[in-house]
Amino acid sequence: MKLVSYLREETDQLAILVDGLLYNTQELHPDLPNNMGMFLMMWEDVIDIARQADASLKAGKHPGTAHGIAVDSVQLLSPVPFPTSCRDGYAFRQHVAAARRNRKVEMIPEFDQYPIFYFTNHNAIQGPGDIHCMPDHFDKLDFELEAAIVICKAGRNITAAEADDYIGGFMIMNDMSARTLQMEEMKLNLGPAKGKDFSTVIGPMLVTPDELEPFLIPAKPGHTGNNYNLKMTCKVNGVQVSEGNMGDMDWTFAEIVERCAYGVNIMPGDVIGSGTVGTGCFLELNGTGKLNDPNYTEQWLQPGDVVEMNIDGLGTLTNTIVKEDTDFSILALKKNV
């Protein structure tokens, strides 16, 4: 099942996507909530109803009073417009190793011992469309090609062996990054904060795990949880710059959920990202380029750039970079010492 949130009469509307058409959930069945937040909160009570409605639509039937709306005729929101929290993991060893190699430091052994994550700004979650950036964001503005999950039932102290049952679905994530802000603050062993908190993009839809069963592959040796053979790409202004695969995740989402839930309640609506796939950002690509050629010209995102991310089975997430009409700079507020 593919679930989409879109703007309808100034609020978020939940719909099931079938063959390019959106069907509002509450029109498919009166017991289905009309927004993703309530749908996730009521997941175990409503998921079977939604699956039956989805099956009927795919069979050419139209349950309830639902009628199809062309998906390209509405403004798509993040599939989870108001997540209860947003964490981002660090699951791809290839990316971590390349980034460290480019900085001429050894691979950190702790990567292979346990998965890690950080909290980002869940109030800055957005979907397809314009990404508004301040002047300081354009000092090495970057994308990060990732996948993400959303939690669909509350839990605590969940083991990796059972954690896949808590995953409601999968989405594309673009963890936007302002690298100069990020690197400056992390010198103080805190962050990333201002380097990340202005925009995290997820979308264009939430795809439930049953849709991805044909792509299941074994987890890496020594790891636990579902893994998926899904090609990941990113294009900037129509030129492909990144390519990877969800199957390259060393730490599974189940293992990341296990760590997230240790001693903590995870809640329906919590979004968790995978971390950047190998080659999945300009920071890594520029570092590799300069390592191989000292004359390599770095590339960073600029106003007007169009970023298109695609993951097999999860669709294409498209955003345009927009410069805010201001010259206000927090980098300029630094004290001279």
Side-chain angles (χ1 to χ4, degrees):
M1 182 165 53
K2 297 179 174 68
L3 294 166
V4 168
S5 296
Y6 72 95
L7 188 65
R8 183 190 185 202
E9 298 177 355
E10 303 305 314
T11 191
D12 56 307
Q13 170 66 55
L14 180 62
I16 294 177
L17 174 64
V18 176
D19 294 333
L21 297 176
L22 298 173
Y23 298 87
N24 295 333
T25 45
Q26 75 275 19
E27 296 170 6
L28 289 167
H29 194 285
D31 291 339
L32 290 178
N34 65 353
N35 65 77
M36 180 62 85
M38 286 301 299
F39 190 91
L40 291 167
M41 288 293 295
M42 300 172 62
W43 184 269
E44 293 181 288
D45 295 324
V46 300
I47 186 60
D48 287 340
I49 299 172
R51 283 177 178 145
Q52 291 169 9
D54 182 60
S56 293
L57 290 169
K58 289 172 178 173
K61 303 173 184 176
H62 291 72
T65 61
H67 62 282
I69 303 165
V71 67
D72 57 4
S73 70
V74 300
Q75 179 182 336
L76 296 185
L77 305 173
S78 158
V80 186
F82 305 104
T84 44
S85 71
C86 187
R87 300 169 173 90
D88 199 12
Y90 211 37
F92 292 92
R93 195 180 200 280
Q94 178 187 347
H95 168 68
V96 179
R100 295 184 68 83
R101 179 200 67 221
N102 294 343
R103 300 200 307 272
K104 297 182 172 60
V105 295
E106 296 294 323
M107 180 58 183
I108 187 165
E110 285 80 3
F111 176 87
D112 297 306
Q113 296 175 355
Y114 48 85
I116 64 169
F117 66 90
Y118 75 94
F119 281 95
T120 190
N121 182 9
H122 65 287
N123 291 317
I125 293 290
Q126 66 171 97
D130 292 346
I131 299 173
H132 292 270
C133 300
M134 292 291 284
D136 290 343
H137 295 145
F138 285 102
D139 197 334
K140 299 184 178 180
L141 181 64
D142 208 353
F143 67 92
E144 288 188 353
L145 173 59
E146 308 187 19
I149 60 167
V150 66
I151 299 299
C152 62
K153 58 181 180 179
R156 183 183 179 93
N157 296 328
I158 301 160
T159 67
E162 60 187 345
D164 282 312
D165 292 338
Y166 289 77
I167 296 174
F170 296 82
M171 304 162 285
I172 303 171
M173 174 184 277
N174 179 2
D175 181 27
M176 292 292 297
S177 303
R179 298 302 188 186
T180 295
L181 287 170
Q182 177 187 353
M183 298 308 174
E184 285 210 343
E185 62 196 359
M186 291 187 75
K187 291 177 183 176
L188 293 164
N189 296 323
L190 281 180
K194 297 311 300 176
K196 298 278 191 176
D197 70 354
F198 58 102
S199 173
T200 302
V201 192
I202 57 176
M205 55 191 171
L206 177 73
V207 179
T208 54
D210 54 296
E211 290 258 343
L212 302 180
E213 285 180 2
F215 304 97
L216 275 169
I217 57 175
K220 295 287 184 70
H223 291 271
T224 300
N226 290 341
N227 198 16
Y228 298 90
N229 177 24
L230 300 175
K231 183 179 177 181
M232 306 170 67
T233 61
C234 179
K235 294 179 180 179
V236 176
N237 299 328
V239 178
Q240 183 170 306
V241 294
S242 300
E243 181 175 334
N245 195 294
M246 261 181 74
D248 292 331
M249 289 178 69
D250 292 88
W251 294 103
T252 66
F253 274 117
E255 291 169 324
I256 298 171
V257 170
E258 178 183 66
R259 189 167 180 89
C260 291
Y262 181 76
V264 172
N265 296 325
I266 60 169
M267 303 299 295
D270 288 357
V271 169
I272 304 172
S274 64
T276 310
V277 69
T279 77
C281 65
F282 280 140
L283 181 67
E284 179 189 336
L285 294 167
N286 289 336
T288 300
K290 293 182 77 172
L291 190 67
N292 296 327
D293 177 7
N295 297 317
Y296 180 88
T297 301
E298 292 187 355
Q299 181 177 358
W300 302 101
L301 293 175
Q302 305 297 328
D305 281 355
V306 177
V307 181
E308 297 173 275
M309 294 185 170
N310 181 273
I311 300 181
D312 287 349
L314 304 185
T316 300
L317 177 61
T318 304
N319 296 95
T320 301
I321 306 300
V322 176
K323 184 183 184 300
E324 294 277 11
D325 186 18
T326 178
D327 59 2
F328 177 48
S329 166
I330 58 170
L331 287 172
L333 299 178
K334 288 190 301 182
K335 307 296 185 184
N336 293 320
V337 294

